[in-house]
Amino acid sequence: MKNLNTILDFVRYATSEFNLKKVHLGQGCEHYLDEAIYLISSYLNFPFENTDYFFNAHLTEHEKNQLFSLIKKRLDGTPTAYLTNKAYLAGFQFFVNENTIIPRSFIAELLTEYLSPWVENANAPMAILDLCTGQGSLAIIAAHYFAQSQVDALDISKDALRVAAQNVAEYALENRIHLVHSNAFEKINQKKYDVILCNPPYVNADSMSHLPLEFQAEPVLALSGGQDGLDFVRILIQQAKIHLKENGILIVEIGHNRAVLEKTFPSLPFVWLETSAGCDYVFLLNAFDL
């Protein structure tokens, strides 16, 4: 440690160690250098984008000790987002901790495009439901892009909802996002929505048994979708029609389960939506097709 003095020294050290141990990425950054810069800049409270301005700054002994501790925890499998209590999605920053999944849904991309062409008027008042809201990221992004809408955000985890409440308050959306503790649709009675969004637990049993340490750190409840990954999706498809308005739409992220989903529900006309990862991960169903 005595040979590491500047921020650049620690960025180089962390990048090398992350690469040497092959820590698993995919919960935020895509490269070891970015992971190192993000972890260090977050702890030191300066902008990730302007790190190079600070590279030559010397660190105090306390800062060095803290950074070594954070880097060790990251090497041991703790996700960076849990070490910094920050995560980003679609340009929004969210508070996260071990009680909630780290946000990374492709549905966010579709929201930034106002769900076009499936929603004709983003300025119209709508009722939106975000099932399995977790830390509240999709609900908050939806409330931003559909500014006249009311959003119900449901989750079975009270701990996750406490995190969501912090994020909703941070964006001053308490009057438009309503957090509800509910197992699927249980607590909303017969209420109907224009749009139902859901990034459910969809990891199948085989994949759950091979998850990297970083993903094992996330709540099992938010990941495990049962034997074939479709446990929660079956509930969605069976009950969504009751909660959709006549021209409502259901949008669901499904991970790598397109083939098994289409085999399980061969009569449903799934519309697969284009995202940065392709068109195999998010489907749409119209209310009249359910």
Side-chain angles (χ1 to χ4, degrees):
M1 185 173 76
K2 64 182 180 180
N3 295 321
L4 303 179
N5 296 299
T6 67
I7 290 174
L8 182 58
D9 290 336
F10 273 83
V11 168
R12 182 209 56 76
Y13 169 75
T15 303
S16 297
E17 290 297 303
F18 293 165
N19 187 37
L20 182 65
K21 191 163 182 181
K22 302 300 179 187
V23 300
H24 195 85
L25 304 175
Q27 292 166 303
C29 298
E30 297 180 358
H31 305 285
Y32 294 125
L33 175 59
D34 289 342
E35 188 87 357
I37 291 174
Y38 175 59
L39 176 61
I40 292 166
S41 64
S42 293
Y43 167 69
L44 295 172
N45 291 308
F46 59 76
F48 174 86
E49 299 83 0
N50 297 324
T51 306
D52 52 340
Y53 293 142
F54 299 90
F55 271 163
N56 293 324
H58 283 246
L59 297 166
T60 68
E61 289 303 311
H62 175 72
E63 288 171 334
K64 291 180 187 180
N65 289 331
Q66 291 297 108
L67 281 176
F68 266 110
S69 176
L70 290 173
I71 291 168
K72 183 180 184 304
K73 289 177 181 177
R74 183 65 189 90
L75 290 168
D76 289 340
T78 302
T80 295
Y82 290 161
L83 296 173
T84 63
N85 294 123
K86 298 176 188 174
Y88 296 85
L89 184 64
F92 292 78
Q93 178 180 306
F94 301 103
F95 173 83
V96 294
N97 62 24
E98 293 84 353
N99 293 315
T100 179
I101 195 171
I102 298 165
R104 51 182 179 271
S105 175
F106 293 119
I107 293 175
E109 299 177 19
L110 304 170
L111 292 172
T112 65
E113 298 170 356
Y114 301 95
L115 298 179
S116 177
W118 309 102
V119 172
E120 293 183 359
N121 182 5
N123 293 315
M126 295 193 301
I128 298 175
L129 173 62
D130 176 27
L131 269 176
C132 307
T133 194
Q135 72 304 109
S137 56
L138 292 182
I140 289 168
I141 296 169
H144 176 82
Y145 282 93
F146 299 93
Q148 303 304 314
S149 296
Q150 293 289 316
V151 182
D152 288 344
L154 277 57
D155 205 283
I156 193 173
S157 168
K158 290 183 178 180
D159 290 332
L161 288 171
R162 278 189 278 271
V163 174
Q166 289 184 241
N167 288 315
V168 169
E170 181 66 26
Y171 285 96
L173 288 168
E174 296 96 327
N175 292 331
R176 295 187 48 227
I177 296 179
H178 313 285
L179 300 172
V180 182
H181 179 233
S182 179
N183 183 5
F185 297 99
E186 279 184 359
K187 297 295 179 65
I188 56 171
N189 299 317
Q190 299 298 310
K191 187 171 181 179
K192 292 184 180 291
Y193 298 89
D194 298 280
V195 178
I196 296 177
L197 308 170
C198 188
N199 181 21
Y202 56 66
V203 183
N204 64 40
D206 181 62
S207 296
M208 284 294 297
S209 68
H210 295 92
L211 285 179
L213 288 174
E214 287 80 358
F215 288 89
Q216 291 179 37
E218 295 185 295
V220 171
L221 195 64
L223 296 175
S224 177
Q227 189 62 37
D228 63 359
L230 298 183
D231 282 4
F232 196 89
V233 176
R234 286 185 175 87
I235 296 171
L236 273 176
I237 290 176
Q238 289 165 3
Q239 299 183 20
K241 187 176 183 67
I242 301 170
H243 300 285
L244 282 171
K245 295 181 181 179
E246 183 178 356
N247 294 313
I249 54 175
L250 171 67
I251 296 176
V252 182
E253 185 161 333
I254 196 64
H256 298 283
N257 294 329
R258 176 172 177 171
V260 66
L261 179 74
E262 292 181 327
K263 183 178 180 180
T264 303
F265 299 98
S267 64
L268 288 179
F270 294 105
V271 177
W272 293 94
L273 304 182
E274 186 72 32
T275 71
S276 58
C279 57
D280 291 326
Y281 297 93
V282 180
F283 72 77
L284 178 148
L285 286 170
N286 291 287
F288 49 77
D289 288 323
L290 287 165

